[in-house]
Amino acid sequence: MKYYVLNHKNKMTYDEALKFSEAVLDLDLSNSKLIIVPSALYLPLFTGVHYYLGSQDISSFEEKTVTGEITGKQLKSLGVNYVIIGHSERREYCNETDYSLITKINNAIINDLKVIYCVGETLEERKLNKTFYKLEKQIARVFNKIKSAEIIIAYEPIWAIGTGLTPDMNQIQEVSSFIKKLVKDYYGKKAIVLYGGSVNETNIESLKAVENVDGFLIGGASVDVQKVAKIIK
Ligand code: PGA
């Protein structure tokens, strides 16, 4: 059973999200664990019982009153089960730091939300053979501080997100095995490892065959139900 995490980002209007929420009910999910991660605005549209609901973010302020923030408690009250933390777009454009990521992870855990923690290298880091170094740093810095029951790590090379490029299958296999071993050695736990970055209906067949990859985090292709149907088939 593979995980499929649909990260809709800020892509849809209300009408589009409504249509998607209706169409998704017809998907055959018999062999997949589907997690839909819409814009927070549209979370209440997704009430289906045959998939899980995720949030694209969580506030680092759980107790403080802060305008514009969405707390873990609020997410939980909408039936959210998962939260994406550390996505490269948020690290880059929203200046998320290790400190705020740790706080967010803690706030998710306090509210019984499972964390999908994103890591990944830039193209330059890959060329300089620094991929493993970068990933170890991103994982160790954050997870050292917390105790999580279930560790889900999404490996998303920054240069593969939204570009149509993907690493070759051996590279993905090498990285996912590395992450699993790292988490086992550090925390004595089994990590669930997802791959993300230009996953689509044409490359999914080869990606599914990669050993040690438990599922996929899908951005661009995830807003099109026909494509999602082909991906999870
Ligand atoms: P993409 O996005 O599938 O459009 O590359 C993946 C992601 O950012 O999670």
Side-chain angles (χ1 to χ4, degrees):
M1 164 106 71
K2 298 271 190 216
Y3 283 70
Y4 297 92
V5 183
L6 309 185
N7 178 10
H8 285 173
K9 310 193 183 188
N10 52 354
K11 293 281 186 207
M12 290 188 192
T13 61
Y14 178 83
D15 287 345
E16 287 162 351
L18 181 62
K19 266 195 204 132
F20 188 98
S21 71
E22 289 164 359
V24 86
L25 298 173
D26 295 330
L27 291 177
D28 174 9
L29 301 176
S30 42
N31 209 16
S32 342
K33 180 156 180 164
L34 184 71
I35 304 170
I36 302 182
V37 192
S39 156
L41 287 171
Y42 311 139
L43 282 168
L45 295 177
F46 291 88
T47 54
V49 286
H50 69 327
Y51 56 78
Y52 296 85
L53 202 51
S55 171
Q56 297 178 16
D57 190 26
I58 181 172
S59 177
S60 33
F61 306 100
E62 190 62 36
E63 299 300 338
K64 235 190 175 102
T65 303
V66 183
T67 301
E69 290 290 299
I70 302 174
T71 65
K73 192 174 174 188
Q74 290 178 309
L75 294 171
K76 193 74 196 168
S77 73
L78 285 169
V80 169
N81 315 97
Y82 291 86
V83 56
I84 295 177
I85 296 180
H87 193 284
S88 60
E89 288 158 359
R90 295 201 57 85
R91 288 182 196 257
E92 183 179 355
Y93 306 126
C94 307
N95 300 319
E96 294 204 334
T97 61
D98 287 340
Y99 177 76
S100 66
L101 295 181
I102 291 166
T103 315
K104 285 178 179 209
I105 290 173
N106 280 328
N107 289 347
I109 291 168
I110 289 165
N111 287 289
D112 198 23
L113 297 164
K114 290 175 183 159
V115 175
I116 300 171
Y117 179 61
C118 301
V119 296
E121 83 285 5
T122 62
L123 192 54
E124 199 187 351
E125 286 162 340
R126 171 150 293 272
K127 283 183 182 156
L128 293 170
N129 266 331
K130 287 188 169 170
T131 302
F132 294 140
Y133 169 76
K134 169 84 174 283
L135 300 184
E136 180 160 2
K137 212 167 68 173
Q138 285 182 318
I139 293 169
R141 272 196 192 158
V142 165
F143 276 100
N144 253 349
K145 307 278 189 296
I146 58 147
K147 292 192 168 41
S148 170
E150 190 176 330
I151 299 179
I152 307 174
I153 296 186
Y155 168 54
E156 297 207 300
I158 296 169
W159 51 275
I161 296 177
T163 57
L165 302 171
T166 55
D168 73 42
M169 302 302 139
N170 288 339
Q171 289 172 323
I172 297 175
Q173 199 263 325
E174 211 175 48
V175 169
S176 46
S177 305
F178 171 79
I179 293 174
K180 283 192 188 245
K181 183 171 179 333
L182 185 74
V183 172
K184 183 89 192 143
D185 291 351
Y186 266 78
Y187 313 105
K189 288 203 169 133
K190 215 171 160 226
I192 293 164
V193 178
L194 312 179
Y195 168 76
S198 294
V199 175
N200 59 40
E201 69 288 6
T202 46
N203 60 20
I204 189 68
E205 225 33 67
S206 339
L207 286 166
K208 274 184 194 168
V210 179
E211 211 182 306
N212 275 335
V213 172
D214 303 299
F216 306 97
L217 179 47
I218 308 157
S222 77
V223 296
D224 181 331
V225 181
Q226 311 302 332
K227 289 185 183 173
V228 173
K230 285 185 188 151
I231 288 170
I232 64 177
K233 203 166 142 203

Short mmCIF file of all heavy atoms in Angstrom, two decimals, residues 115-120 135 139 143 150-156 179-180 182-183 187 191-196 214-215 217:
data_model
loop_
_atom_site.label_atom_id
_atom_site.label_comp_id
_atom_site.label_asym_id
_atom_site.label_seq_id
_atom_site.Cartn_x
_atom_site.Cartn_y
_atom_site.Cartn_z
N VAL A 115 3.23 14.23 11.29
CA VAL A 115 4.07 15.18 10.55
C VAL A 115 4.64 14.54 9.28
O VAL A 115 5.16 13.43 9.33
CB VAL A 115 5.24 15.65 11.45
CG1 VAL A 115 6.21 16.54 10.66
CG2 VAL A 115 4.72 16.37 12.68
N ILE A 116 4.49 15.25 8.17
CA ILE A 116 5.20 14.87 6.94
C ILE A 116 6.31 15.90 6.79
O ILE A 116 6.05 17.07 6.46
CB ILE A 116 4.24 14.91 5.72
CG1 ILE A 116 3.09 13.92 5.93
CG2 ILE A 116 5.00 14.60 4.43
CD1 ILE A 116 1.97 14.04 4.89
N TYR A 117 7.52 15.49 7.13
CA TYR A 117 8.63 16.44 7.20
C TYR A 117 9.42 16.40 5.88
O TYR A 117 9.89 15.34 5.46
CB TYR A 117 9.53 16.08 8.38
CG TYR A 117 10.73 16.97 8.53
CD1 TYR A 117 10.57 18.33 8.77
CD2 TYR A 117 12.02 16.46 8.43
CE1 TYR A 117 11.67 19.16 8.89
CE2 TYR A 117 13.13 17.29 8.57
CZ TYR A 117 12.94 18.63 8.80
OH TYR A 117 14.03 19.46 8.92
N CYS A 118 9.55 17.56 5.22
CA CYS A 118 10.20 17.61 3.90
C CYS A 118 11.67 17.99 3.99
O CYS A 118 12.05 18.91 4.72
CB CYS A 118 9.51 18.66 3.02
SG CYS A 118 7.78 18.37 2.76
N VAL A 119 12.46 17.27 3.21
CA VAL A 119 13.90 17.57 3.11
C VAL A 119 14.31 17.49 1.64
O VAL A 119 13.61 16.88 0.85
CB VAL A 119 14.75 16.56 3.94
CG1 VAL A 119 14.45 16.67 5.42
CG2 VAL A 119 14.54 15.12 3.46
N GLY A 120 15.43 18.11 1.31
CA GLY A 120 15.90 18.02 -0.08
C GLY A 120 17.05 18.96 -0.34
O GLY A 120 17.21 19.97 0.35
N LEU A 135 20.84 16.39 3.89
CA LEU A 135 19.67 15.68 4.42
C LEU A 135 19.88 15.31 5.88
O LEU A 135 18.98 15.44 6.71
CB LEU A 135 19.37 14.42 3.60
CG LEU A 135 19.08 14.64 2.11
CD1 LEU A 135 18.72 13.34 1.43
CD2 LEU A 135 17.96 15.64 1.89
N ILE A 139 17.51 16.59 8.93
CA ILE A 139 16.78 15.63 9.77
C ILE A 139 17.26 15.71 11.22
O ILE A 139 16.45 15.83 12.14
CB ILE A 139 16.92 14.20 9.20
CG1 ILE A 139 16.19 14.10 7.86
CG2 ILE A 139 16.37 13.15 10.19
CD1 ILE A 139 16.46 12.85 7.07
N PHE A 143 14.79 16.62 14.31
CA PHE A 143 14.26 15.47 15.03
C PHE A 143 14.99 15.17 16.32
O PHE A 143 14.49 14.46 17.17
CB PHE A 143 14.20 14.24 14.12
CG PHE A 143 12.97 14.22 13.29
CD1 PHE A 143 13.00 14.63 11.97
CD2 PHE A 143 11.75 13.85 13.82
CE1 PHE A 143 11.86 14.65 11.20
CE2 PHE A 143 10.59 13.86 13.06
CZ PHE A 143 10.65 14.26 11.74
N GLU A 150 5.39 8.51 14.82
CA GLU A 150 5.50 8.03 13.45
C GLU A 150 6.29 9.06 12.66
O GLU A 150 5.97 10.24 12.67
CB GLU A 150 4.08 7.90 12.87
CG GLU A 150 4.04 7.19 11.55
CD GLU A 150 2.60 6.99 11.05
OE1 GLU A 150 1.69 6.87 11.89
OE2 GLU A 150 2.42 6.99 9.84
N ILE A 151 7.34 8.61 12.00
CA ILE A 151 8.17 9.57 11.27
C ILE A 151 7.96 9.39 9.77
O ILE A 151 8.28 8.34 9.21
CB ILE A 151 9.66 9.40 11.65
CG1 ILE A 151 9.84 9.65 13.15
CG2 ILE A 151 10.54 10.33 10.83
CD1 ILE A 151 11.26 9.48 13.65
N ILE A 152 7.41 10.43 9.14
CA ILE A 152 7.23 10.40 7.69
C ILE A 152 8.12 11.49 7.10
O ILE A 152 7.99 12.66 7.45
CB ILE A 152 5.76 10.67 7.28
CG1 ILE A 152 4.82 9.72 8.03
CG2 ILE A 152 5.59 10.54 5.77
CD1 ILE A 152 3.35 10.01 7.81
N ILE A 153 9.03 11.07 6.24
CA ILE A 153 9.94 12.05 5.64
C ILE A 153 9.73 12.06 4.13
O ILE A 153 9.73 11.01 3.49
CB ILE A 153 11.40 11.72 6.00
CG1 ILE A 153 11.54 11.85 7.52
CG2 ILE A 153 12.38 12.66 5.26
CD1 ILE A 153 12.91 11.70 8.07
N ALA A 154 9.51 13.28 3.60
CA ALA A 154 9.36 13.40 2.15
C ALA A 154 10.67 13.93 1.59
O ALA A 154 11.10 15.04 1.93
CB ALA A 154 8.21 14.35 1.82
N TYR A 155 11.29 13.10 0.75
CA TYR A 155 12.51 13.55 0.08
C TYR A 155 12.10 14.28 -1.19
O TYR A 155 11.54 13.68 -2.12
CB TYR A 155 13.41 12.36 -0.26
CG TYR A 155 14.53 12.73 -1.20
CD1 TYR A 155 15.38 13.79 -0.90
CD2 TYR A 155 14.73 12.05 -2.40
CE1 TYR A 155 16.39 14.17 -1.78
CE2 TYR A 155 15.74 12.41 -3.27
CZ TYR A 155 16.56 13.47 -2.96
OH TYR A 155 17.56 13.85 -3.83
N GLU A 156 12.35 15.60 -1.22
CA GLU A 156 11.98 16.42 -2.37
C GLU A 156 13.19 17.25 -2.81
O GLU A 156 13.44 18.32 -2.24
CB GLU A 156 10.85 17.37 -1.99
CG GLU A 156 9.57 16.68 -1.59
CD GLU A 156 8.36 17.57 -1.87
OE1 GLU A 156 8.29 18.66 -1.30
OE2 GLU A 156 7.52 17.18 -2.68
N ILE A 179 17.94 7.64 4.21
CA ILE A 179 17.06 8.26 5.21
C ILE A 179 16.55 7.19 6.19
O ILE A 179 16.53 7.39 7.40
CB ILE A 179 15.88 8.99 4.54
CG1 ILE A 179 16.40 10.19 3.75
CG2 ILE A 179 14.83 9.43 5.56
CD1 ILE A 179 15.35 10.91 2.92
N LYS A 180 16.16 6.05 5.65
CA LYS A 180 15.65 4.99 6.54
C LYS A 180 16.72 4.54 7.53
O LYS A 180 16.44 4.34 8.71
CB LYS A 180 15.16 3.79 5.71
CG LYS A 180 13.81 4.05 5.09
CD LYS A 180 13.17 2.82 4.52
CE LYS A 180 11.93 3.22 3.76
NZ LYS A 180 10.69 2.75 4.29
N LEU A 182 19.35 6.26 8.53
CA LEU A 182 19.64 7.37 9.43
C LEU A 182 18.62 7.42 10.59
O LEU A 182 19.00 7.52 11.76
CB LEU A 182 19.57 8.67 8.62
CG LEU A 182 19.95 9.96 9.31
CD1 LEU A 182 21.46 10.02 9.48
CD2 LEU A 182 19.49 11.16 8.48
N VAL A 183 17.36 7.35 10.24
CA VAL A 183 16.31 7.43 11.27
C VAL A 183 16.38 6.22 12.20
O VAL A 183 16.23 6.34 13.41
CB VAL A 183 14.91 7.55 10.60
CG1 VAL A 183 13.79 7.43 11.61
CG2 VAL A 183 14.80 8.87 9.84
N TYR A 187 17.18 7.14 15.96
CA TYR A 187 15.99 7.11 16.82
C TYR A 187 15.45 5.71 17.06
O TYR A 187 14.44 5.56 17.75
CB TYR A 187 14.87 7.97 16.20
CG TYR A 187 15.38 9.32 15.76
CD1 TYR A 187 15.58 9.59 14.42
CD2 TYR A 187 15.71 10.29 16.71
CE1 TYR A 187 16.10 10.81 14.02
CE2 TYR A 187 16.22 11.50 16.31
CZ TYR A 187 16.41 11.76 14.96
OH TYR A 187 16.93 12.95 14.56
N ALA A 191 11.29 4.76 9.47
CA ALA A 191 10.70 5.94 8.83
C ALA A 191 9.90 5.52 7.60
O ALA A 191 10.28 4.57 6.91
CB ALA A 191 11.79 6.91 8.42
N ILE A 192 8.83 6.26 7.37
CA ILE A 192 8.11 6.12 6.10
C ILE A 192 8.72 7.18 5.19
O ILE A 192 8.78 8.35 5.56
CB ILE A 192 6.60 6.39 6.32
CG1 ILE A 192 6.03 5.27 7.18
CG2 ILE A 192 5.86 6.54 5.00
CD1 ILE A 192 4.69 5.59 7.79
N VAL A 193 9.21 6.78 4.02
CA VAL A 193 9.87 7.75 3.13
C VAL A 193 9.05 7.93 1.85
O VAL A 193 8.72 6.97 1.16
CB VAL A 193 11.31 7.32 2.79
CG1 VAL A 193 11.96 8.32 1.83
CG2 VAL A 193 12.16 7.21 4.06
N LEU A 194 8.74 9.21 1.58
CA LEU A 194 8.02 9.55 0.35
C LEU A 194 8.98 10.25 -0.59
O LEU A 194 9.93 10.90 -0.16
CB LEU A 194 6.85 10.51 0.66
CG LEU A 194 5.93 10.15 1.84
CD1 LEU A 194 4.85 11.22 2.00
CD2 LEU A 194 5.30 8.78 1.62
N TYR A 195 8.70 10.13 -1.89
CA TYR A 195 9.45 10.93 -2.86
C TYR A 195 8.53 12.01 -3.42
O TYR A 195 7.34 11.74 -3.70
CB TYR A 195 10.00 10.07 -4.03
CG TYR A 195 10.50 10.98 -5.12
CD1 TYR A 195 11.73 11.62 -4.97
CD2 TYR A 195 9.71 11.29 -6.23
CE1 TYR A 195 12.16 12.54 -5.92
CE2 TYR A 195 10.13 12.21 -7.17
CZ TYR A 195 11.35 12.83 -7.01
OH TYR A 195 11.77 13.77 -7.93
N GLY A 196 9.06 13.22 -3.58
CA GLY A 196 8.29 14.30 -4.21
C GLY A 196 9.16 15.11 -5.15
O GLY A 196 10.37 15.28 -4.93
N ASP A 214 7.99 4.62 0.01
CA ASP A 214 6.68 4.19 0.51
C ASP A 214 5.52 4.97 -0.09
O ASP A 214 4.36 4.68 0.22
CB ASP A 214 6.65 4.33 2.04
CG ASP A 214 7.77 3.54 2.69
OD1 ASP A 214 7.79 2.31 2.52
OD2 ASP A 214 8.64 4.15 3.33
N GLY A 215 5.84 5.99 -0.86
CA GLY A 215 4.75 6.77 -1.46
C GLY A 215 5.27 8.07 -2.03
O GLY A 215 6.48 8.27 -2.15
N LEU A 217 4.71 12.51 -2.72
CA LEU A 217 4.15 13.83 -2.42
C LEU A 217 4.03 14.53 -3.78
O LEU A 217 5.02 14.74 -4.47
CB LEU A 217 5.09 14.58 -1.47
CG LEU A 217 4.74 15.99 -1.03
CD1 LEU A 217 3.31 16.12 -0.57
CD2 LEU A 217 5.66 16.42 0.11
#
